[in-house]
Amino acid sequence: MRAPQPAQRLNHSTPRQSTNILVREILDTINEDRVPPLVYTTVLTFLQIMTDKGLVLRDTQGKTHVYRAAVAAEKTQRHLVKDVLERVFSGSVNQLVMHALGSRKISADEVREIKAMLNESDHTPPIAKPLPPAQGHFNPVEPAGSTGPQD
């Protein structure tokens, strides 16, 4: 596993074990895989907004801006996931999970962790719901010869 990059150090810090990081370090990390690259003032503006929201703490040493996380990464991640769930997936956990699982290949370890988490959260047996009949297939409720709803 490679060493954490500057932006990851800021993201995974907690207020008690916070890592100080320079704007330039964050900018360089972001720009490693970004075309077109961001400019220093853009990253600085985002960090100033994050400071105003209480997400990061700033220490100004002369002209140098040094930042560190003000909120634990787990709390920030929970907040962001909740926000994405509501804004992007209209509150549908199912759609969020299906999209996340379909976006990349997951390892066998991740599959085991997900299964364990699902088993832990499954306190009551699921109530079986009948599936709606597929169009064009035999449905014992409809009269013989019917192929389902007609358009």
Side-chain angles (χ1 to χ4, degrees):
M1 175 178 270
R2 67 184 186 143
Q5 295 297 315
Q8 291 172 322
R9 289 196 325 255
L10 180 63
N11 182 42
H12 294 295
S13 298
T14 65
R16 286 184 297 271
Q17 64 175 62
S18 192
T19 300
N20 290 335
I21 187 167
L22 301 172
V23 176
R24 177 64 58 193
E25 291 178 291
I26 296 171
L27 176 68
D28 291 345
T29 300
I30 290 171
N31 284 339
E32 284 177 3
D33 300 318
R34 184 170 168 80
V35 176
L38 292 179
V39 295
Y40 182 91
T41 53
T42 301
V43 175
L44 181 59
T45 299
F46 273 106
L47 286 165
Q48 288 170 337
I49 292 168
M50 292 171 70
T51 301
D52 292 343
K53 291 185 176 198
L55 299 172
V56 296
L57 301 171
R58 176 180 54 222
D59 181 25
T60 305
Q61 300 169 355
K63 289 186 176 182
T64 304
H65 298 276
V66 180
Y67 290 87
R68 69 179 191 276
V71 178
E74 185 176 304
K75 184 175 181 181
T76 301
Q77 291 165 350
R78 273 195 316 269
H79 174 76
L80 289 172
V81 168
K82 184 177 179 182
D83 189 50
V84 168
L85 177 65
E86 294 303 321
R87 289 180 187 228
V88 178
F89 297 99
S90 302
S92 172
V93 173
N94 181 53
Q95 288 204 6
L96 171 69
V97 170
M98 297 308 281
H99 188 78
L101 292 175
S103 66
R104 69 173 181 87
K105 187 175 179 175
I106 60 174
S107 70
D109 287 340
E110 289 173 315
V111 170
R112 279 190 290 279
E113 286 180 43
I114 291 167
K115 285 181 179 180
M117 185 182 293
L118 290 172
N119 288 335
E120 287 175 19
S121 69
D122 190 20
H123 300 294
T124 59
I127 298 172
K129 294 181 182 177
L131 295 174
Q135 285 190 334
H137 294 281
F138 174 72
N139 183 348
V141 177
E142 294 182 347
S146 174
T147 58
Q150 301 297 316
D151 290 329

